[in-house]
Amino acid sequence: MEQVIKHIESNYDLYINELKDFLRIPSISTLPENKPDMQRAAEFVSDKLKKAGLNKIKIFQTEGHPIVYAEWLGAPGKPTVLVYGHYDVQPVDPIELWHNDPFDPVIKDGKIYARGATDDKGQVYVHIKSVEAFFKTMGHLPLNVKFLIEGEEEIGSEHLTPFLKQNTDLLKCDAVLISDTALFSPGTPTITYGLRGLAYMEVEVTGPNRDLHSGTFGGAVDNPINILAEIISKLKNKDGKITITGFYDDVLKLSKKERENFKALKFKEKDFAKSIGLKELKGEKGYSTLERIWARPTLDCNGIFGGWTGKGAKTVLPSKATAKISMRLVPHQEPKKIAKLFEKHIKKLAPKTVKVEVKDLHGGYPVITPLDAAATIAASKAMAKAFGKKTVFMREGGSIPIVVEFANRLNASPVLMGLGLNTENLHSPNEHFDLNHFKLGIKSSAYFFEEFSR
Ligand code: BES
Ligand code: MN
Ligand code: MN
C-alpha cells in the first residue's frame, strides 16, 4: 500500500495535466451544439480507463449521450465496487463573470478553475488515478472494480435509468462509490448519507388572448403577472411552511439523534450568511439552517418571466406569465405524487379570469444511505486515513437522482465520498476544485479499495 501512495505522490503533477485536458472538453450535456464534445469526453474517459489498466472497456451509445463502462474482475472471491460519476457539465453563462475561459483551466492558489472542475470531472478523475496507481505498482487491484461514467447527470440521467434496468448483471456489485458531493468544510473527511429529491414544475398563466395596451385595457382585466405573483406568494405561509395540501404527509421526521449530530458539526450561520452576501438567513420556522437544507423539503421559484423584460419602458399588459418552480424533496416523498399535489393546489388558487397550465418538467427521488453498511464504514476509515482526521457524516441539499436506482435496482449500498466544496461555484461562474482535495481524494480512493477488500 505504501508503494501505491508513494506512486500517487510522485505522479501528482502529471495527473493535474491530464485533468486539464479533460476540463478542456466542453461537454455541456444540455446544448445540442456540444453533442460532438460529449462523444470526445466519453472517449477521453474510456481512453484513460484503458491506460489505467482496466479491461472490457465499452462506450454504450444511447439516444442521448454515451455511457462509459469499464471493468477489472481479476480478484475472484473479493467484493466488487462500481464507481459512478458524470463527465457532463453545466452551461457556462453568464460567461462575462468568469475570470478565465471556462474551458481553458487555470491554477490559482492551489485551485483549478474550469467548468466541471468540481462537478464532476475532477472528482471522477480521482478514482481513475487511484486504480492506475495500483496497477502500476502492484500489477493488480485488491478487489474487483467497475466504472460507470455517464454524460446526462445534469439533465436528469434519462438514458442511464433504463440502462441500469437492462444491464443489472453487467453492473452487479457490492457497493457503488460516488464522488459527486461536498466535504463539510475544507480538509474535513466527509461521508454524505442523504440527498434530497426534486420535483421541477413550470406554471403558465394566460389572461387575455394577446398583449394589450396598458392604458386602454389597464384596470379592466386581471394581469397574468400579478396573478402568478399572488399564486406564488400563497405557496408558503409566514412560518415558511409549504401550504400545498398533503405536501408533508410522507416526510421522514428528523430523529433526536440526527438533530444532535447536526448540531455537533461546526457550522456558523453567521459566516454562512456572510459568504453569500447576506445579513440574515431565512427558512422554515423551528429548524436550523442545516436541518432546513439537508432534511426538510422546500419550494422555490427558479425563474419568472412575462411581459416586457427588455430595456426601457413599454406600456403593455401581458397575455402570459410563466414561473419555474422547484421543490426539493426528502425521504419518503414521491416526486410524481408531489407534482400532482402541486398541480391541484395551483389550479385551486387560480381565479376564473385566467387559464393555468402546470407542467412537470422533471424529478428525482431523495435517498438516505445506511450508515452501518460495510462500504460506508470502509469509506469513512479510508478518508480518515488519507486526511489525517476523523470523518464526519452529513446530508446534502442537492440531488443525484440516479443514486436511489443503484440502491433499488442493484441492491448495492451507495457510498457518497464527495471531495468538492459547496463554495466551489458548481453551476456558477468560476467553478473550481481544490487540488489538495484532489490529491487527498486519490489517496482516499486507494485506501478505500484496500479497506473494502478485507
Ligand atoms: N453534483 C451535483 C449534486 C450536488 C449538488 C451534490 C450540490 C452536492 C452539492 C449534481 O451534479 C447536480 O447538480 N444535481 C442536480 C440534479 C438535477 C439536475 C436533477 C441538482 O441537484 O440540481
Ligand atoms: Mn454532479
Ligand atoms: Mn451538477
Side-chain angles (χ1 to χ4, degrees):
M1 197 59 202
E2 220 173 279
Q3 289 158 270
V4 177
I5 298 297
K6 266 207 189 115
H7 180 88
I8 292 169
E9 272 164 5
S10 50
N11 284 278
Y12 178 60
D13 290 337
L14 194 77
Y15 299 165
I16 292 177
N17 277 329
E18 291 174 14
L19 174 60
K20 277 186 173 169
D21 289 338
F22 193 10
L23 292 169
R24 284 193 185 99
I25 308 170
S27 44
I28 305 170
S29 48
T30 198
L31 300 179
E33 62 264 37
N34 291 94
K35 182 101 188 154
D37 301 310
M38 301 309 289
Q39 180 66 27
R40 273 174 60 215
E43 279 165 15
F44 181 93
V45 172
S46 73
D47 179 55
K48 294 298 178 193
L49 284 167
K50 192 168 180 188
K51 285 193 177 126
L54 285 118
N55 46 38
K56 204 177 153 184
I57 291 146
K58 199 169 166 183
I59 298 181
F60 289 90
Q61 296 299 336
T62 71
E63 306 247 305
H65 303 309
I67 296 166
V68 183
Y69 175 82
E71 67 177 34
W72 184 85
L73 305 179
K78 293 287 186 183
T80 302
V81 175
L82 176 73
V83 178
Y84 163 82
H86 62 95
Y87 66 80
D88 65 322
V89 303
Q90 287 280 340
V92 297
D93 15 48
I95 183 97
E96 65 279 7
L97 296 182
W98 282 81
H99 301 313
N100 61 288
D101 177 341
F103 297 110
D104 189 7
V106 165
I107 296 176
K108 227 177 83 186
D109 303 328
K111 299 170 176 99
I112 188 161
Y113 286 80
R115 172 57 86 228
T118 188
D119 187 13
D120 180 35
K121 286 174 172 172
Q123 300 202 51
V124 164
Y125 215 59
V126 157
H127 302 293
I128 302 181
K129 292 299 110 176
S130 93
V131 163
E132 185 187 72
F134 275 104
F135 282 119
K136 287 261 158 82
T137 54
M138 325 281 283
H140 58 87
L141 295 174
L143 40 52
N144 304 297
V145 169
K146 298 176 176 180
F147 274 80
L148 181 69
I149 312 297
E150 70 152 320
E152 298 188 328
E153 195 279 339
E154 300 291 8
I155 50 173
S157 302
E158 191 189 332
H159 298 96
L160 187 62
T161 311
F163 183 84
L164 277 193
K165 264 183 230 172
Q166 286 150 17
N167 293 280
T168 46
D169 266 353
L170 180 73
L171 302 174
K172 197 167 153 10
C173 60
D174 301 292
V176 184
L177 180 62
I178 305 166
S179 292
D180 191 24
T181 49
L183 300 170
F184 179 69
S185 64
T188 306
T190 309
I191 298 289
T192 296
Y193 67 93
L195 293 165
R196 286 198 290 189
L198 186 70
Y200 199 111
M201 314 294 295
E202 186 174 287
V203 179
E204 187 186 73
V205 176
T206 306
N209 59 8
R210 59 199 149 92
D211 287 0
L212 303 172
H213 190 288
S214 68
T216 25
F217 292 92
V221 298
D222 242 346
N223 181 325
I225 297 181
N226 293 44
I227 296 301
L228 183 57
E230 265 171 44
I231 292 174
I232 292 170
S233 71
K234 285 179 187 151
L235 297 177
K236 282 197 233 177
N237 70 17
K238 272 207 304 295
D239 292 337
K241 298 261 182 231
I242 293 151
T243 54
I244 298 169
T245 318
F247 184 83
Y248 291 100
D249 284 1
D250 303 323
V251 169
L252 176 70
K253 285 213 172 70
L254 263 160
S255 68
K256 209 173 145 218
K257 180 93 183 52
E258 212 175 6
R259 295 190 92 162
E260 277 166 15
N261 290 345
F262 287 9
K263 227 185 245 163
L265 292 168
K266 285 191 202 84
F267 180 78
K268 294 210 179 81
E269 310 225 349
K270 274 226 172 79
D271 294 349
F272 178 76
K274 216 174 136 193
S275 76
I276 46 175
L278 292 176
K279 283 206 187 94
E280 221 173 284
L281 299 170
K282 177 90 190 178
E284 187 184 0
K285 199 175 162 185
Y287 295 93
S288 72
T289 296
L290 288 184
E291 289 168 352
R292 289 169 180 165
I293 298 175
W294 292 351
R296 296 294 298 168
T298 50
L299 180 149
D300 275 289
C301 197
N302 292 239
I304 182 161
F305 52 95
W308 178 243
T309 55
K311 285 208 177 87
K314 179 188 182 200
T315 49
V316 65
L317 298 181
S319 163
K320 284 179 193 299
T322 309
K324 311 252 186 196
I325 297 172
S326 72
M327 289 163 282
R328 292 281 171 176
L329 311 177
V330 300
H332 302 291
Q333 289 178 297
E334 296 242 354
K336 285 269 172 289
K337 180 173 167 190
I338 292 294
K340 286 212 180 82
L341 293 177
F342 176 89
E343 176 169 4
K344 215 168 134 190
H345 192 71
I346 297 281
K347 295 243 159 104
K348 218 168 65 193
L349 289 176
K352 289 205 179 67
T353 49
V354 296
K355 265 198 315 242
V356 177
E357 199 190 334
V358 179
K359 275 193 217 147
D360 180 357
L361 293 189
H362 69 95
Y365 277 85
V367 72
I368 290 267
T369 70
L371 284 174
D372 56 0
T376 308
I377 295 166
S380 142
K381 281 190 190 162
M383 282 192 105
K385 218 172 184 174
F387 283 68
K389 267 194 211 170
K390 214 174 150 222
T391 299
V392 304
F393 291 84
M394 66 176 241
R395 283 168 71 169
E396 169 58 57
S399 313
I400 311 174
I402 201 69
V403 174
V404 85
E405 304 283 340
F406 288 132
N408 294 345
R409 303 240 165 245
L410 303 181
N411 194 23
S413 23
V415 180
L416 299 165
M417 187 197 262
L419 299 160
L421 290 172
N422 285 338
T423 50
E424 287 181 330
N425 292 14
L426 46 162
H427 297 202
S428 306
N430 304 308
E431 176 177 350
H432 55 279
F433 186 34
D434 190 325
L435 289 171
N436 186 40
H437 297 148
F438 178 60
K439 191 184 203 169
L440 295 173
I442 303 173
K443 292 184 190 175
S444 301
S445 170
Y447 283 132
F448 172 76
F449 291 141
E450 189 206 37
E451 187 72 42
F452 191 53
S453 74
R454 295 212 212 109

